[in-house]
Each structure stands twice: as structure tokens, then as C-alpha cells.
Amino acid sequence: MTATTTSQAPPTAPVPAAAAARANAGNGKAIAWEIAKFIGSLVISFFLILAIWWLFLLAYPDIGPIIGKTPVDVFHYLFTDPTASADRSAILDNLWITLKDAGIGFVCGMGAAVVAAALFVMFRPVAQTFMPIAMLLRSVPLVAMTPLITLVVGRGVAVVAVMGGIVVFFPALVMIMTGLANAPRQINDVIVAYGGTRLTAMRMAALPSAVPALFAAAKVSVPGAMIGATVAEWLGTNKGLGATLQQALPAAAYNELWASVLVITVASIVLYAFVGVAEKLVLAQMGTTPT
């Protein structure tokens, strides 16, 4: 009797492309979940703001319904009143101006912060000399500086760039400096050993490692840019939602006033969410986690 042996084919190894696709799908789901949680927390925060707004008016009834408008009043003003279409159009037109002003201030402030942070990290004596001066200037209220700024640069785009840049610059500077200073020293040593300069080390080591800090600074700076733009419009350009706030208060246009405040708040949250989503996507590609 002869034993019959059956040969079994060796198990097939998983196809690398398929494994990579499954891994990418898993990573994509994880990123999508993180983004969904981030946006969900912002939505919850927005409804908490509305609840606090409502509770504040209930806690102080002396404000009265003429001055203290509720979220429902603002909704009617923007969407259901007979003049809602014209009112909404006017506020959105002013919002567009404020968004452009905020963008100018954000770009100017963040750009100056990145350049200054790089110089301060590469040249420590420069940081020791100018950092206290920068912090001293930051302690001066922006409202007190506005007459001097408008006298020097005028009331056009320049005042928006300066005032918005001031609001963005200082917090971004501190956060970006921290990120640049925490670059792995071993990588800097390797770059220097191969003849690299400080600028090369900054470009190849410090800046990539500081990307989480850059995004953190950007998230903080986006609402600051909206505040800077509003203040610049209130005191400098007489355009945009900042000017609307200035004109609505003495005119007793309280519906317009509260609606403008709500629109500025929503715009700030949306911009913050946009930067946060971009942060998660970029850092996921880099294999790092947010600070």
C-alpha cells in the first residue's frame, strides 16, 4: 500500500499594494474621525455661546428687550423679517470687507512672526535685545496706539495691516519661537558637520519640526486677526463690520448690532475650524501629532 501525499500550496503572501490600500483606508478613517470630533466640539461650543448669551439676558432683565436682543431676535432680523433680505445682504457685504481685512492682518502678522522668530532663534543676542522691547510694545493698548498709527500710515489698507498684524504678531511669535527652539539638536549637529549654515539648519531642521507650533499659532491668530480687523475698521477705515458696530450703537440699531456680533463670532469659528482641519490633514501626512 502506498501512501498518497497531497501537496498543499504555500499560503499566499498579502499583496503589498492591497495592504497599503487597507492601511491608507484605516488612516483615512482615523483622520476623518479626528476631524469630525474637532468640528463637533466647535459646534457644541457655538451652541454653548448661544446659551450663555440667552442666560446673560435672562440674568440681567434690566437690559430690556429693546437693547438686549436674543438669538431668536437676530434670526428673525436676518431671515424672516420683511427687510431681512436687505439687512442680510448689507451685513454679508460688510463681512466680506472684514474678512479681507482680517486676511491682510493675518498674513502680515504671521509672516513677521515667522521671520522674527527665526532671527531670534538663530541669533540669541538679537532675541535678548529686542524681545523685551516687543513685549513692552504689546502691553500698550491697541486703542491707545490707533491715533499714532493712523497718523503715520493713514486710514487705508496700511492701517489694517499694521493693527491686524500687531494683534497677530506677538502671540504667534512666542509660540513659533518655542517650536523652532525645540528642533532636534542632533539634526542640527549633522547639518553643521556637513558644512551647513544656520540658515540651512533652520530651513531643513527647525522649520519642519515647528510645523505643529506654526499651526497652533495660526489657530490662535485667526480670531485675533478678526479682532484686529474689527478694531481697525472701528477706529481707522470706517468700513466693514467694525464700522457697522460703531455706527449701530449710537443709532440704536440694536438688531444690526447683535447680528453683526453674531456674524463675527460665526466667521471666527469657521476660520478656526478651517485652520484646524488643515492642521490635522498636514500633520497626518507628516506623521506627527498636534501640539
Side-chain angles (χ1 to χ4, degrees):
M1 180 182 294
T2 58
T4 304
T5 59
T6 58
S7 60
Q8 295 181 351
T12 58
V15 180
R22 287 194 295 270
N24 290 334
N27 292 335
K29 290 180 180 178
I31 296 171
W33 174 241
E34 290 296 323
I35 291 174
K37 288 194 298 182
F38 174 73
I39 295 177
S41 65
L42 292 181
V43 172
I44 294 173
S45 299
F46 173 70
F47 283 106
L48 283 176
I49 291 172
L50 295 182
I52 293 171
W53 175 1
W54 210 318
L55 291 174
F56 174 80
L57 294 177
L58 290 177
Y60 295 94
D62 292 341
I63 295 177
I66 296 177
I67 298 176
K69 301 299 181 180
T70 66
V72 174
D73 295 328
V74 172
F75 178 83
H76 289 317
Y77 175 77
L78 291 176
F79 297 103
T80 63
D81 286 350
T83 59
S85 177
D87 297 332
R88 187 172 63 249
S89 177
I91 287 183
L92 291 179
D93 289 343
N94 287 322
L95 173 64
W96 177 244
I97 296 173
T98 300
L99 289 176
K100 290 191 293 183
D101 291 341
I104 292 171
F106 178 82
V107 171
C108 292
M110 281 293 292
V114 171
V115 173
L119 290 175
F120 288 176
V121 171
M122 288 191 296
F123 305 103
R124 293 295 180 180
V126 176
Q128 295 172 358
T129 301
F130 289 100
M131 195 65 176
I133 298 175
M135 293 298 103
L136 180 63
L137 291 175
R138 183 64 184 91
S139 64
V140 179
L142 188 61
V143 176
M145 298 172 59
T146 301
L148 179 61
I149 294 173
T150 54
L151 181 64
V152 173
V153 302
R155 293 182 174 271
V157 177
V159 70
V160 173
V162 172
M163 295 180 68
I166 289 174
V167 175
V168 170
F169 175 78
F170 292 99
L173 174 63
V174 175
M175 301 180 73
I176 295 171
M177 277 187 65
T178 302
L180 293 176
N182 289 335
R185 189 166 297 276
Q186 296 85 348
I187 300 178
N188 287 335
D189 294 340
V190 171
I191 293 173
V192 173
Y194 279 90
T197 63
R198 291 179 178 178
L199 183 60
T200 304
M202 175 63 62
R203 178 173 55 85
M204 299 183 66
L207 282 175
S209 67
V211 169
L214 287 170
F215 273 109
K219 287 195 296 184
V220 172
S221 299
V222 162
M226 289 293 292
I227 294 172
T230 304
V231 174
E233 292 166 351
W234 184 305
L235 302 173
T237 65
N238 292 324
K239 297 178 181 179
L241 289 177
T244 299
L245 296 175
Q246 179 196 33
Q247 297 161 7
L249 190 59
Y254 297 113
N255 280 318
E256 185 180 19
L257 177 68
W258 287 92
S260 299
V261 172
L262 179 62
V263 168
I264 292 173
T265 302
V266 172
S268 299
I269 293 174
V270 170
L271 292 175
Y272 182 89
F274 178 81
V275 176
V277 171
E279 175 193 28
K280 293 186 179 299
L281 293 175
V282 172
L283 295 186
Q285 292 296 322
M286 296 177 62
T288 57
T289 56
T291 55

